[in-house]
Each structure stands twice: as structure tokens, then as C-alpha cells.
Amino acid sequence: MIDSKIVGIRSVLLTVALIATASIVLRAQFDIIPKPQSVRPGIGVFLLDRSTTVDSPPDHRSREIAKFLADSIRMQTGISISKNRTGNNRIELRFDPKIVDGEAYRLTVSESRITIEAGDTKGLFWAVQTLRQILPSTRGEVVAIPAVVINDRPEYSYRGHMLDVGRHFFPVEFIKRQIDLLSYYKINTFRWHLTEDQGWRIEIKKYPRLTDVGAWRKEADGSKYGGFYTQRQIRDVVEYARVRNVQVIPEIEMPGHSVAALAAYPEYSCRQKPLKVTAEWGVHKDVFCAGNEHTFDFLKDVLDEVIELFPSPYIHIGGDEVPKDRWRECPLCQQRIRSEGLKDEHELQSYFIRRIQQYLESKGKTLIGWDEILEGGADRNVVVEVWRGNSEAAKALAGGHRLIVAGPFYFDTPIKNKTLKEVFFTDLTSIPSYFENRDLVLGAECPLWTEHVTPVNAESKLYPRLQAFAEVTWTGNVGDFDDFKRRMALHYAHMDSLGIAYGPEDKAVAEYGIVSLPAIDAWRLTGVKGFNDITFRYTTDGSEPSPRARSFAESLDISRPLLIKVAPFRNGKKVDLSRSFTLTANTAIGASVTYADPIDKRYAKAGESALIDGIVGSREYNDGIWVGWQGADMDAVIDLGRPRRFTSVSVNFLQQSSSWIVLPRRVSMFASEDKETWVELKAIDTGANAMDMNTSIRTITFNQPKAIIARYVRVNAVRFGKLPAGHNGAGGESWIFADEIIIR
Ligand code: ACM
Ligand code: ZN
């Protein structure tokens, strides 16, 4: 009693003294994200200084949490709190058995002390994260923390973020930085999507080819791309996350999304023929053979090593997007269907998942899989991660499965199609029969798939949407968006201090427009900024723009054909992937062009002249430069305005059959002086093959040494037509994608 009074008087004196020197730092608001269940401000402040001590229960984890708190206070405020455990001005961690939810906590700040109470160390740790959020982030000798009582607990027990490190690789340092933020926002699960068609990223000692071969792919430009985590690095990440209250759940994809594994060990594929680690996105037909016993021996060996590395009670085995083509034609798979009395390949998938589930269960692990694991039936004990919508969620609940909702939180979705506000207003209770099955809804996860994401732009896709996700899953309420936005101000400052390259709330980091301006014989590249303080930097030698590359603010006029590569920079840091534009000399620039069938509106962003503007399409069909037709031929007539001399005509076509884009069957070129009499320059059958799933660009060229003089040029391309049986779009009409018709 006497002691605390003395401290009280001392505090008051100190407060007066420090206010006089204006070095006291006080924050009056509680801008906590996710919003706690209850915040009751009190009267007065707790003064934290060098004499403050941290006292904790004696168990190892509680002491570790106390140390994490002391370290955090030092990093955020510069104050090294006292190691003397008998001080009077203290922060006390203690267990309160009356707080039953393990993640729940009570944080009480009064003039004399800070008390952190929870039923479990999980809650103690989350209270520490809340305390960190109400600590002033400015440095001082003494910081004042306003009195408050916070009672808090999460609505959902599973709050996760998944990162796909298969399509692109993310270094350990990047992963740890994100785990720091997951933890800061009380997201308790990092889901590590470690294997994909395009790369196997986890060292497995018994099968070294998984990383020697499976971790590396050849990119379209011939370069080698890849990387993997050693078991030592994985243990390090798992331990780093454990200290921060984050469990790490690995995902080892099977039976699909396994081309990289099968490139390393083709003997576990149905055809048992050599495969390459693919550089193509999409769904691939080569999957693990479900008829071969050795496949299961291999997968059990792999899972044995995985289980050793990850203490989490869950193992995710993917299970999504499994084409049945190979199984249908594989004698071993067909034999398995007969011997097990299965109805079809869907039941074979179910058989596959059940075997893996039983194996994991024998090791004390629960299987998580994407919602396709319900096809053909699944054991009731598996956890279903729902990505294809509410009807899949309803199916999972009807089967009595626990589920995790992922579909509404795909953060690879462009920001303008999934804004901060939309994430904030995602209502998990809209799942059919949610209220009857509340206990089965474990929570949600925000996946980041990385076909078009690398460490350069990942943070712009994650934040600030991840803060909204944290709020949705912690509070379970559809809250007050204005209040959330007000609190975000503090969190933007926090992310700035950490150098996090977060994105805008409702628009792209950067967008581009490019047009040809025949009147001034130039092209104009325009950048649209997601933040006002973005600078566009560019190169013209094919290299990646650096922070020292030449820059433009709004637009750039380019007067000669070249390859320009441009990227947005903010605070000296590249904040989005670069974009390349290939500009080429073309006699047809400025000419007029007409089409027998109009260009599909979705792909005519640059207008009718897109085919003759000197801007050449990239390998991305939706780059705004390609033009497309579906269910129609391309028949373009170019009017050069007057007779012109030229020796060549060429045109590019895209093949990307997974997107239904197939080369035309036949391409013909003609010239005319009067648009009545046409001379055929070239006609060629392309040998178009809709079953070739590799992305490629085919250039059809007419070329002769002697110049032609003509006013009109016509290019006709005959569409492939209906997609054949076995194609993912069988029976649908193919697309023609063309760019650019170059006349020289
Ligand atoms: C998924 O997006 N294929 C789970
Ligand atoms: Zn097979």
C-alpha cells in the first residue's frame, strides 16, 4: 500500500517534470486492430520507464513471452526495462483459470501497474500484442500508457494466411517479416504452400531429386528459376513462428499440382515417362498414379519427414484440381478401380485421399484439403478448406466436416476487384446453415497465389487487406468501416516504420496506357498511380529498372521503336512488377483498318487500330494489346491511304489453349490497289493443335526482296473452331488472338 502510494507520488512528480520538458509521449486513443471485444478506458496513465519490470509465471513459455514483451518495448520506445524483478512499477503476466478460451485475455492498465491475464499462454501472448499496439511508437525516456481494461477473445479459432511459394519463391527473410505482421494482427496460422507443378520447395532427405530437379524450372526466356528451403531453414521458420503464437501448416499437394515432383520421380506418374518442371500456369494433367503401390510408399516417406518438421496437428495435402485424364488411360489406376470396387475416377480420388488421411491419422495428424476432397466422399474427420463458394461449404457442413473459408479472401485478386472495404464486409455467417453448424466453422484463410506475385509486389496485395481480414476473423462482426479506416491511420504509420510496401485500398499500385500518336510520329506511355508519391522508372536496354533508372511522372513520349521496361517506385523501392512494351516500326501506323467481324469488346481496349499501332502484344493475352475474336474468323483490311511500297507483311498469333486461345488453322495475306482485285501474297496452314497447352507466339511472315506497291492489305485467319474432346473447354468455340500486323 505504502509502496504504491510512493510510486504514485513519484509518478505524478515525474509526469509534471516531463510534461514541462515536453518529452513525455502519450496516446489517448486505442486504435487496436483487430478491434477487441471490449475496451473500457480508465482514468490516469501508467508511466513506463527504465524502472518498470516484467513479472511472469515461471514456466518456459510465459518467460519467453515476458522477454518478447521487454524486447518489443525496447525496440518500439528505446526503453530497456529493468531486469530487477522486485520493482514496484511493473507489468505482470499471470494465469486466470476463469478465462476459459485459450486465446482470450484481459489487459488492465492502471496508474500503478499493467496486468495481463489469460487462461493459457496463447492469450498472454495476444495481450502482449495488444499492449504493443497501444504503446506510443515514438521514443522517449518515459512513455505514458492510458488506463484501460480490455477484455478480448477471438470469434474464430482458425485465422490463417497461405503463401504459395511454388509459383514464385520467397526467401526466409521475407517469410519471417510476414510472420511478424501476422502475429501483430493475431493471425494464428501461416500456411506454407510448399509444392506445386512449377516447383518443389522443401528438402526431403530421402528423395534429393525433389529439390535437385523439382525446385528448378526453365522460364520462357530460357533462364533458370527456382529455390527451396532446407530442413534447417524450415525448422528455423517454424520456431520463429512458434515464439510469435503462429502455427505453421505445410501443404504438400497430391494427387494433382505435382508435376515438379513427377519431373524428379517420373516413376510415380501414370505414364512413367520423363516430364519437365513446368513454367506454364494452370491445371496440369500429369498427377500421381493412384494405382501404383510405390506412389503411396513414396508419399508416406515424404510425409514422415514433413511430420518431423512441423509440430502442427494439421497437414494440408491440397487435393484440388485433379484432372482424371491420366487415370482413365492408366492400366494400374484402372486395375485399382476394379480391385477396390470403385465406381469411377472420382471414387479413385476419394480412395487416394482416404489412404493418405488414414496414414496421417496413424501419426496423430488431421488432414486438411481443398473442397475437391469431398468428391467421391471423405472421412468425416478431415477439415475442408472451401474455395469454390457457399455450395461447397454447404456440402462440407452437410457431411459434418469442419471447414475453413478461403474463397472470399483470395488476395491475388486485383485490389479493385476485391477492395479493402469488400474484404472488411465479408460476412462468414452468410454460409447456408451456418447457425446450425457454428462449431464446424473453424475460421478463414487468406491465400496469396503467386503466378503473378513475387517479393516485389506481394506486400501490396497482402496489406491493408490483411488487417481487414484479421478484423473479420477475430471479431466475427460486420463492423464499422469508418472506425476501421480511422484506426488504420496508425497502422499505416506502423507499416511505414517497418518499410512494408503495402498497396492502395481500392485500386492498382500502377496501371499503364500506351497509344501511338501518328500525328507526332511517337508513342505515349501513361502511368496511373495508386499513390501520389509513386515515380515511374524505366529502361530501354531490356534490363530491370533500378531506383536510379530514368523516370517520368505522368507520361512519356517515345519517338523511336524500342523495348521499354517500366516499374513504379515508392520511397526508393520498387513496389510492383515491371511491365514491358515492345514498340516496332510499322508502315501501317496511322492507317485505317476494318474487320469483317468486330473485335471482341473485352479485348479492344486500344480500339480498332490496336492491330496496327506499332505496339506488340506480350505473352499475357489480357495485356490490353492483343485483340481477340471468339467463334469468328479474323478478316482485317488495312487501307494505307495511298499506294505504299513494302516488302514484308507479318502477323503474330497467340497460342494459350488452357485459356481457349488457339492458333488459326489457316492464314492468308493479300494486296490490292483498288480493294476489288486481290493478289494473294501468302497462304499457310499452321497445323494448329488445340491440345498443345504450351503458351507460344507464332509469327506468320510474307517476305520478298522486290517491293510491292499497294494501297490495301488484307489478312484473313480461319479460326480453329470447336475445342475437341479432352480439352478443358471441349465443345466451346476457340479464340483467335492477334497482334500485330506489321507492314514494312
Ligand atoms: C485452388 O485455388 N486451386 C485451391
Ligand atoms: Zn495411374
Side-chain angles (χ1 to χ4, degrees):
M1 260 325 250
I2 290 171
D3 274 2
S4 75
K5 242 202 190 105
I6 292 168
V7 171
I9 291 163
R10 194 188 58 122
S11 304
V12 170
L13 292 175
L14 204 59
T15 309
V16 171
L18 287 166
I19 286 171
T21 59
S23 69
I24 196 160
V25 179
L26 172 68
R27 175 181 307 131
Q29 284 183 330
F30 299 97
D31 295 340
I32 302 159
I33 292 178
K35 194 182 181 74
Q37 302 285 351
S38 153
V39 178
R40 278 188 292 123
I43 293 168
V45 294
F46 176 88
L47 293 174
L48 187 149
D49 63 18
R50 278 173 41 214
S51 73
T52 305
T53 62
V54 183
D55 196 9
S56 80
D59 64 284
H60 173 263
R61 178 60 180 148
S62 297
R63 287 166 63 169
E64 192 176 58
I65 292 168
K67 179 174 184 307
F68 181 88
L69 174 58
D71 290 346
S72 300
I73 289 171
R74 193 179 60 253
M75 283 186 285
Q76 284 178 243
T77 65
I79 299 170
S80 291
I81 59 179
S82 170
K83 295 222 167 52
N84 166 15
R85 300 184 64 225
T86 58
N88 285 313
N89 173 302
R90 70 170 182 255
I91 304 174
E92 194 171 293
L93 277 60
R94 62 178 184 226
F95 291 116
D96 177 354
K98 290 196 294 299
I99 301 177
V100 287
D101 180 337
E103 290 193 286
Y105 65 89
R106 177 163 54 244
L107 170 64
T108 309
V109 179
S110 69
E111 287 193 358
S112 59
R113 72 182 52 176
I114 295 177
T115 315
I116 286 172
E117 294 158 294
D120 186 291
T121 55
K122 295 251 182 298
L124 292 181
F125 187 86
W126 293 142
V128 164
Q129 289 294 33
T130 297
L131 180 54
R132 288 183 65 202
Q133 290 199 11
I134 63 176
L135 273 184
S137 52
T138 342
R139 296 183 158 238
E141 301 238 314
V142 178
V143 297
I145 304 169
V148 68
V149 180
I150 296 175
N151 275 287
D152 203 8
R153 60 167 192 85
E155 179 64 22
Y156 295 101
S157 62
Y158 187 103
R159 306 177 304 281
H161 159 54
M162 184 214 85
L163 183 66
D164 164 14
V165 297
R167 272 57 174 260
H168 280 105
F169 183 69
F170 292 78
V172 166
E173 281 319 302
F174 178 92
I175 307 257
K176 286 184 173 176
R177 184 175 152 94
Q178 310 319 315
I179 288 172
D180 284 339
L181 282 167
L182 298 182
S183 172
Y184 195 69
Y185 294 108
K186 304 187 178 79
I187 291 172
N188 61 12
T189 304
F190 173 58
R191 272 253 298 101
W192 212 350
H193 184 88
L194 284 162
T195 72
E196 256 308 335
D197 296 310
Q198 296 84 4
W200 181 282
R201 308 273 176 239
I202 170 174
E203 178 191 22
I204 300 294
K205 304 245 190 228
K206 188 159 181 186
Y207 297 98
R209 286 175 60 84
L210 283 171
T211 43
D212 287 350
V213 174
W216 307 96
R217 68 175 182 247
K218 197 166 137 193
E219 297 284 48
D221 66 2
S223 62
K224 181 174 164 181
Y225 180 89
F228 66 92
Y229 308 101
T230 63
Q231 293 201 349
R232 194 189 160 110
Q233 287 175 312
I234 294 208
R235 283 184 212 280
D236 178 43
V237 168
V238 169
E239 170 63 8
Y240 188 87
R242 181 196 63 75
V243 170
R244 287 156 183 79
N245 242 20
V246 175
Q247 67 172 339
V248 184
I249 302 179
E251 179 172 353
I252 308 295
E253 278 265 21
M254 62 187 81
H257 287 289
S258 50
V259 171
L262 297 174
Y265 295 96
E267 55 267 46
Y268 307 124
S269 69
C270 288
R271 292 181 167 179
Q272 305 195 5
K273 290 204 184 110
L275 285 164
K276 284 196 168 60
V277 179
T278 182
E280 294 283 336
W281 313 132
V283 175
H284 295 269
K285 287 187 178 157
D286 288 292
V287 303
F288 282 113
C289 178
N292 184 347
E293 264 319 285
H294 298 308
T295 303
F296 291 95
D297 296 338
F298 165 79
L299 290 172
K300 286 175 184 175
D301 288 343
V302 168
L303 289 172
D304 284 347
E305 293 193 32
V306 169
I307 287 166
E308 274 297 303
L309 291 168
F310 296 92
S312 144
Y314 300 104
I315 303 284
H316 201 307
I317 55 83
D320 57 321
E321 299 180 318
V322 188
K324 308 297 187 294
D325 307 63
R326 297 289 181 263
W327 289 356
R328 249 179 241 124
E329 64 195 27
C330 170
L332 288 176
C333 286
Q334 290 305 313
Q335 172 57 29
R336 176 83 75 191
I337 287 175
R338 285 191 298 275
S339 66
E340 295 291 329
L342 306 173
K343 207 166 70 209
D344 56 15
E345 288 75 20
H346 294 292
E347 290 202 352
L348 184 58
Q349 156 141 339
S350 165
Y351 164 87
F352 188 110
I353 304 292
R354 275 180 208 272
R355 272 191 74 168
I356 298 296
Q357 185 259 333
Q358 283 159 11
Y359 186 71
L360 289 175
E361 199 164 271
S362 76
K363 303 279 170 177
K365 300 285 185 184
T366 297
L367 179 148
I368 309 179
W370 297 103
D371 54 42
E372 286 94 328
I373 65 171
L374 294 172
E375 288 168 12
D379 187 277
R380 191 184 165 100
N381 201 34
V382 301
V383 175
V384 179
E385 178 159 12
V386 178
W387 70 285
R388 293 179 302 173
N390 270 350
S391 61
E392 296 300 317
K395 256 188 243 170
L397 293 178
H401 300 286
R402 289 166 290 168
L403 65 83
I404 295 161
V405 178
F409 302 110
Y410 270 36
F411 285 174
D412 45 308
T413 311
I415 299 169
K416 62 183 172 192
N417 301 340
K418 191 176 284 299
T419 63
L420 178 66
K421 191 170 182 173
E422 284 169 303
V423 173
F424 185 83
F425 283 121
T426 306
D427 180 6
L428 296 181
T429 69
S430 69
I431 296 170
S433 70
Y434 170 93
F435 292 100
E436 298 90 293
N437 295 288
R438 173 61 190 85
D439 289 349
L440 294 175
V441 181
L442 299 183
E445 180 162 290
C446 51
L448 186 60
W449 299 102
T450 60
E451 286 88 343
H452 306 286
V453 181
T454 75
V456 168
N457 63 347
E459 289 177 344
S460 75
K461 301 194 179 281
L462 285 174
Y463 312 103
R465 292 186 291 189
L466 188 128
Q467 280 91 344
F469 171 82
E471 182 121 328
V472 168
T473 51
W474 181 273
T475 68
N477 295 325
V478 171
D480 174 347
F481 188 60
D482 291 336
D483 173 62
F484 174 75
K485 287 254 292 188
R486 186 189 57 70
R487 281 179 282 131
M488 268 310 295
L490 177 74
H491 295 268
Y492 282 126
H494 178 67
M495 290 193 287
D496 282 334
S497 74
L498 297 172
I500 299 290
Y502 55 83
E505 296 179 358
D506 55 9
K507 52 180 180 282
V509 173
E511 283 185 312
Y512 304 96
I514 187 161
V515 291
S516 70
L517 300 173
I520 62 164
D521 209 9
W523 292 271
R524 180 165 293 162
L525 172 63
T526 309
V528 181
K529 302 171 180 183
F531 293 104
N532 287 335
D533 57 354
I534 279 175
T535 304
F536 293 106
R537 295 189 180 276
Y538 67 95
T539 62
T540 55
D541 61 0
S543 66
E544 200 45 38
S546 76
R548 285 166 304 284
R550 277 172 295 170
S551 70
F552 66 91
E554 310 289 338
S555 72
L556 179 71
D557 285 357
I558 306 155
S559 58
R560 63 191 166 88
L562 41 72
L563 169 71
I564 183 160
K565 216 169 203 178
V566 58
F569 284 75
R570 192 169 185 233
N571 302 321
K573 196 165 157 178
K574 190 183 298 171
V575 289
D576 202 354
L577 304 184
S578 60
R579 274 282 307 269
S580 295
F581 298 93
T582 305
L583 306 176
T584 188
N586 188 350
T587 301
I589 294 174
S592 66
V593 55
T594 53
Y595 303 97
D597 280 295
I599 298 172
D600 188 283
K601 285 195 178 50
R602 281 165 283 178
Y603 301 101
K605 285 179 212 157
E608 303 282 287
S609 64
L611 261 184
I612 50 165
D613 58 5
I615 307 161
V616 183
S618 66
R619 289 174 64 86
E620 302 287 341
Y621 71 90
N622 55 359
D623 63 4
I625 293 167
W626 287 98
V627 291
W629 290 263
Q630 189 184 24
D633 296 342
M634 168 185 136
D635 195 0
V637 175
I638 297 164
D639 177 357
L640 296 168
R642 60 184 163 86
R644 302 285 298 264
R645 293 170 68 89
F646 57 88
T647 57
S648 74
V649 179
S650 73
V651 54
N652 292 335
F653 294 101
L654 183 67
Q655 168 100 8
Q656 196 183 102
S657 195
S658 57
S659 308
W660 301 24
I661 300 166
V662 186
L663 291 183
R665 287 182 187 276
R666 188 174 170 78
V667 179
S668 324
M669 298 170 173
F670 307 87
S672 170
E673 290 191 27
D674 56 8
K675 223 173 155 184
E676 308 252 315
T677 317
W678 293 92
V679 178
E680 185 177 276
L681 304 178
K682 183 169 183 110
I684 183 171
D685 288 323
T686 64
N689 174 10
M691 299 311 283
D692 175 0
M693 294 294 153
N694 293 312
T695 300
S696 60
I697 294 172
R698 171 85 76 89
T699 306
I700 308 286
T701 306
F702 155 78
N703 210 331
Q704 70 171 33
K706 187 165 170 294
I708 297 205
I709 301 175
R711 176 171 167 181
Y712 300 96
V713 174
R714 176 174 166 222
V715 178
N716 177 269
V718 179
R719 67 186 180 277
F720 181 85
K722 292 228 184 315
L723 296 164
H727 190 279
N728 64 14
E733 284 286 347
S734 70
W735 285 84
I736 289 181
F737 266 62
D739 195 78
E740 149 123 353
I741 300 177
I742 301 170
I743 302 175
R744 278 185 200 150

PDB file of all heavy atoms in Angstrom, residues 320-321 370 387 410 449, ligand 1:
ATOM      1  N   ASP A 320      -6.802 -30.401 -54.654  1.00  0.00           N
ATOM      2  CA  ASP A 320      -7.611 -29.629 -55.595  1.00  0.00           C
ATOM      3  C   ASP A 320      -7.214 -29.913 -57.041  1.00  0.00           C
ATOM      4  O   ASP A 320      -6.099 -30.358 -57.313  1.00  0.00           O
ATOM      5  CB  ASP A 320      -7.454 -28.120 -55.320  1.00  0.00           C
ATOM      6  CG  ASP A 320      -5.998 -27.674 -55.392  1.00  0.00           C
ATOM      7  OD1 ASP A 320      -5.120 -28.433 -54.932  1.00  0.00           O
ATOM      8  OD2 ASP A 320      -5.724 -26.582 -55.909  1.00  0.00           O
ATOM      9  N   GLU A 321      -8.136 -29.632 -57.949  1.00  0.00           N
ATOM     10  CA  GLU A 321      -7.877 -29.594 -59.385  1.00  0.00           C
ATOM     11  C   GLU A 321      -7.099 -30.823 -59.881  1.00  0.00           C
ATOM     12  O   GLU A 321      -5.954 -30.714 -60.291  1.00  0.00           O
ATOM     13  CB  GLU A 321      -7.133 -28.290 -59.730  1.00  0.00           C
ATOM     14  CG  GLU A 321      -7.962 -27.057 -59.387  1.00  0.00           C
ATOM     15  CD  GLU A 321      -7.271 -25.740 -59.707  1.00  0.00           C
ATOM     16  OE1 GLU A 321      -6.064 -25.592 -59.456  1.00  0.00           O
ATOM     17  OE2 GLU A 321      -7.969 -24.838 -60.208  1.00  0.00           O
ATOM     18  N   TRP A 370      -8.412 -29.045 -49.911  1.00  0.00           N
ATOM     19  CA  TRP A 370      -9.330 -28.141 -50.615  1.00  0.00           C
ATOM     20  C   TRP A 370     -10.652 -28.867 -50.866  1.00  0.00           C
ATOM     21  O   TRP A 370     -10.715 -30.100 -50.784  1.00  0.00           O
ATOM     22  CB  TRP A 370      -8.699 -27.672 -51.931  1.00  0.00           C
ATOM     23  CG  TRP A 370      -7.449 -26.874 -51.716  1.00  0.00           C
ATOM     24  CD1 TRP A 370      -6.169 -27.316 -51.884  1.00  0.00           C
ATOM     25  CD2 TRP A 370      -7.347 -25.509 -51.283  1.00  0.00           C
ATOM     26  NE1 TRP A 370      -5.278 -26.303 -51.594  1.00  0.00           N
ATOM     27  CE2 TRP A 370      -5.975 -25.185 -51.218  1.00  0.00           C
ATOM     28  CE3 TRP A 370      -8.279 -24.528 -50.946  1.00  0.00           C
ATOM     29  CZ2 TRP A 370      -5.509 -23.931 -50.834  1.00  0.00           C
ATOM     30  CZ3 TRP A 370      -7.815 -23.271 -50.556  1.00  0.00           C
ATOM     31  CH2 TRP A 370      -6.442 -22.983 -50.508  1.00  0.00           C
ATOM     32  N   TRP A 387     -12.954 -23.167 -51.245  1.00  0.00           N
ATOM     33  CA  TRP A 387     -12.526 -22.075 -52.132  1.00  0.00           C
ATOM     34  C   TRP A 387     -13.497 -21.854 -53.265  1.00  0.00           C
ATOM     35  O   TRP A 387     -13.459 -20.825 -53.923  1.00  0.00           O
ATOM     36  CB  TRP A 387     -11.118 -22.338 -52.670  1.00  0.00           C
ATOM     37  CG  TRP A 387     -10.961 -23.445 -53.661  1.00  0.00           C
ATOM     38  CD1 TRP A 387     -10.982 -24.790 -53.404  1.00  0.00           C
ATOM     39  CD2 TRP A 387     -10.740 -23.326 -55.073  1.00  0.00           C
ATOM     40  NE1 TRP A 387     -10.785 -25.501 -54.562  1.00  0.00           N
ATOM     41  CE2 TRP A 387     -10.629 -24.633 -55.605  1.00  0.00           C
ATOM     42  CE3 TRP A 387     -10.612 -22.237 -55.948  1.00  0.00           C
ATOM     43  CZ2 TRP A 387     -10.410 -24.885 -56.962  1.00  0.00           C
ATOM     44  CZ3 TRP A 387     -10.386 -22.478 -57.293  1.00  0.00           C
ATOM     45  CH2 TRP A 387     -10.284 -23.795 -57.793  1.00  0.00           C
ATOM     46  N   TYR A 410      -9.166 -14.456 -51.541  1.00  0.00           N
ATOM     47  CA  TYR A 410      -8.030 -14.667 -52.450  1.00  0.00           C
ATOM     48  C   TYR A 410      -7.364 -13.312 -52.722  1.00  0.00           C
ATOM     49  O   TYR A 410      -7.845 -12.518 -53.520  1.00  0.00           O
ATOM     50  CB  TYR A 410      -8.509 -15.308 -53.756  1.00  0.00           C
ATOM     51  CG  TYR A 410      -8.505 -16.821 -53.755  1.00  0.00           C
ATOM     52  CD1 TYR A 410      -8.835 -17.538 -52.617  1.00  0.00           C
ATOM     53  CD2 TYR A 410      -8.146 -17.533 -54.902  1.00  0.00           C
ATOM     54  CE1 TYR A 410      -8.827 -18.929 -52.616  1.00  0.00           C
ATOM     55  CE2 TYR A 410      -8.133 -18.928 -54.916  1.00  0.00           C
ATOM     56  CZ  TYR A 410      -8.478 -19.609 -53.772  1.00  0.00           C
ATOM     57  OH  TYR A 410      -8.473 -20.978 -53.776  1.00  0.00           O
ATOM     58  N   TRP A 449      -1.898 -16.635 -53.990  1.00  0.00           N
ATOM     59  CA  TRP A 449      -1.340 -17.446 -55.083  1.00  0.00           C
ATOM     60  C   TRP A 449      -0.400 -16.551 -55.876  1.00  0.00           C
ATOM     61  O   TRP A 449      -0.658 -15.354 -56.019  1.00  0.00           O
ATOM     62  CB  TRP A 449      -2.466 -17.993 -55.965  1.00  0.00           C
ATOM     63  CG  TRP A 449      -3.414 -18.866 -55.215  1.00  0.00           C
ATOM     64  CD1 TRP A 449      -4.653 -18.530 -54.753  1.00  0.00           C
ATOM     65  CD2 TRP A 449      -3.188 -20.223 -54.794  1.00  0.00           C
ATOM     66  NE1 TRP A 449      -5.211 -19.599 -54.088  1.00  0.00           N
ATOM     67  CE2 TRP A 449      -4.341 -20.643 -54.102  1.00  0.00           C
ATOM     68  CE3 TRP A 449      -2.128 -21.117 -54.942  1.00  0.00           C
ATOM     69  CZ2 TRP A 449      -4.456 -21.922 -53.548  1.00  0.00           C
ATOM     70  CZ3 TRP A 449      -2.256 -22.387 -54.396  1.00  0.00           C
ATOM     71  CH2 TRP A 449      -3.400 -22.781 -53.712  1.00  0.00           C
TER      72      TRP A 449
HETATM   73  C1  ACM B   1      -7.220 -23.556 -55.546  1.00  0.00           C
HETATM   74  O1  ACM B   1      -7.365 -22.326 -55.731  1.00  0.00           O
HETATM   75  N1  ACM B   1      -6.917 -24.350 -56.556  1.00  0.00           N
HETATM   76  C2  ACM B   1      -7.361 -24.142 -54.246  1.00  0.00           C
END
